[in-house]
Amino acid sequence: MTRKDVTFLSGNLKLAGHLYVPANVKAKSPAIITVHPFGGVKEQTGGVYAEQLSNELGFITLAFDRRHQGSSEGEPRQLEDSYGMIEDIKSAVTYLSTLDQVDPARIGVLGICAGGGYALAAASLDPRVKAVATVSGVDLGGFIRTIPKETLDGIIAQGAQARIQYARGGEVQYLPIVPKKEDINKDTTDLMREGSEYYLTPRGGYPTSINRTAAWSYDLMAQYNSFSFLEWIAPRATLLIAGTKADTLCYSEQAYKLAKEPKELFLVEGATHIDLYDRGVPQCVPKLKEFFGHKL
């Protein structure tokens, strides 16, 4: 298998990706796009799944940095433009469809964490996505809206002023995504504690994953909903993978209730949300191999 550095356009932005091509790839191969978490980049868990699935299935896979993230274009840096990121997935589908080695009728999408919510939203309104799967999937808008209203109002107000400052030529105001080790306490959620361990240590850290988001990302995220058209994915298949100990399991359960058949909720016993980024990959890949191998 070879990994190629590639670029493709999403609107007027150039996005950077890693294309994984098996040594024995067949002409008109199925292909899978992996979509990274909020604050992540293609070299982290999205790349791990892309490489594993390419090896296991012999499919072409693509891990890429969404707009404003990693090595992709987009200013300001680290802005979480949720609806724009759905367009990035659709642009990735378009890009793969132009490759001679890819069968455009056999393209699937796998999203991790917020990337899972984005994958579901993209598949809902893009019939070119023939199968969609999530690992520790999260509706990022729903997650942001769990922040107490008074607190969220303050963050959104801060972001509104940050927009004006940036428009006047000032610096971008950023907010952290996960806490630093010294800021973790008894009230820190498992998700934030484990996220800090993953993103801010050699376990999963990467130089272009900077652990910050532009302050006005919050109003863009708060208005977003991954599940608005979830029932429109059918009759294409949906697979939702989550850990039984994940504090985000509720989002996979909600998606399962809203989706129509064919659908499956696959639970990894004892796994947390972050476990499935790396330590739980061996438990997820066989199921993903079975799913994409059958549905593509």
Side-chain angles (χ1 to χ4, degrees):
M1 183 197 69
T2 59
R3 192 189 81 181
K4 300 179 180 179
D5 293 336
V6 299
T7 60
F8 58 94
L9 288 177
S10 183
N12 62 351
L13 297 175
K14 184 183 292 185
L15 305 187
H18 287 158
L19 189 70
Y20 295 84
V21 182
N24 59 345
V25 66
K26 300 176 182 179
K28 297 301 178 184
S29 165
I32 300 169
I33 298 161
T34 64
V35 189
H36 63 73
F38 173 38
V41 293
K42 64 185 178 300
E43 288 84 0
Q44 296 169 318
T45 183
V48 171
Y49 277 100
E51 183 174 9
Q52 292 265 345
L53 290 172
S54 185
N55 277 327
E56 291 287 331
L57 284 166
F59 290 1
I60 290 173
T61 60
L62 172 68
F64 72 98
D65 292 329
R66 300 193 300 269
R67 62 182 62 198
H68 304 279
Q69 316 298 322
S71 301
S72 289
E73 292 182 345
E75 296 292 338
R77 303 306 299 158
Q78 287 81 52
L79 177 70
E80 190 73 7
D81 177 4
S82 294
Y83 285 108
M85 290 173 176
I86 296 170
E87 189 63 27
D88 293 344
I89 298 171
K90 296 178 182 179
S91 296
V93 174
T94 299
Y95 166 69
L96 286 177
S97 299
T98 67
L99 300 182
D100 291 338
Q101 291 175 301
V102 171
D103 183 347
R106 300 171 72 191
I107 295 174
V109 178
L110 165 65
I112 304 100
C113 186
Y118 294 148
L120 292 172
S124 297
L125 292 165
D126 193 336
R128 299 174 300 169
V129 178
K130 299 307 181 185
V132 60
T134 68
V135 171
S136 294
V138 171
D139 168 27
L140 189 56
F143 179 80
I144 294 299
R145 293 189 294 273
T146 65
I147 298 172
K149 183 63 164 56
E150 184 176 345
T151 302
L152 184 56
D153 284 347
I155 296 171
I156 290 175
Q158 179 181 349
Q161 291 304 308
R163 287 176 182 263
I164 297 171
Q165 177 177 306
Y166 181 65
R168 289 174 172 166
E171 293 185 357
V172 181
Q173 291 184 25
Y174 289 102
L175 298 172
I177 297 175
V178 297
K180 295 179 180 179
K181 183 177 181 180
E182 58 268 27
D183 295 326
I184 293 174
N185 56 48
K186 61 181 180 62
D187 297 322
T188 305
T189 64
D190 289 342
L191 176 62
M192 290 294 104
R193 182 181 294 105
E194 292 184 346
S196 179
E197 179 189 341
Y198 180 83
Y199 285 107
L200 304 184
T201 73
R203 175 182 171 187
Y206 194 80
T208 56
S209 176
I210 304 176
N211 187 41
R212 67 181 189 181
T213 190
W216 63 93
S217 297
Y218 277 83
D219 67 82
L220 297 175
M221 295 186 288
Q223 69 184 357
Y224 163 71
N225 189 331
S226 297
F227 302 155
S228 295
F229 303 98
L230 199 57
E231 70 275 12
W232 290 12
I233 296 175
R236 294 164 292 143
T238 301
L239 170 66
L240 309 156
I241 299 178
T244 58
K245 291 187 176 180
D247 41 10
T248 55
L249 172 58
C250 59
Y251 296 105
S252 293
E253 293 175 331
Q254 182 184 0
Y256 182 77
K257 290 178 182 178
L258 292 171
K260 293 184 177 181
E261 297 287 352
K263 60 182 179 179
E264 182 178 358
L265 175 60
F266 180 80
L267 299 180
V268 180
E269 187 63 35
T272 65
H273 179 96
I274 300 292
D275 279 340
L276 302 188
Y277 285 24
D278 52 2
R279 296 166 182 166
V281 170
Q283 295 165 278
C284 298
V285 167
K287 186 65 183 179
L288 291 166
K289 179 181 178 181
E290 171 193 302
F291 174 74
F292 284 118
H294 179 64
K295 300 302 181 181
L296 297 181

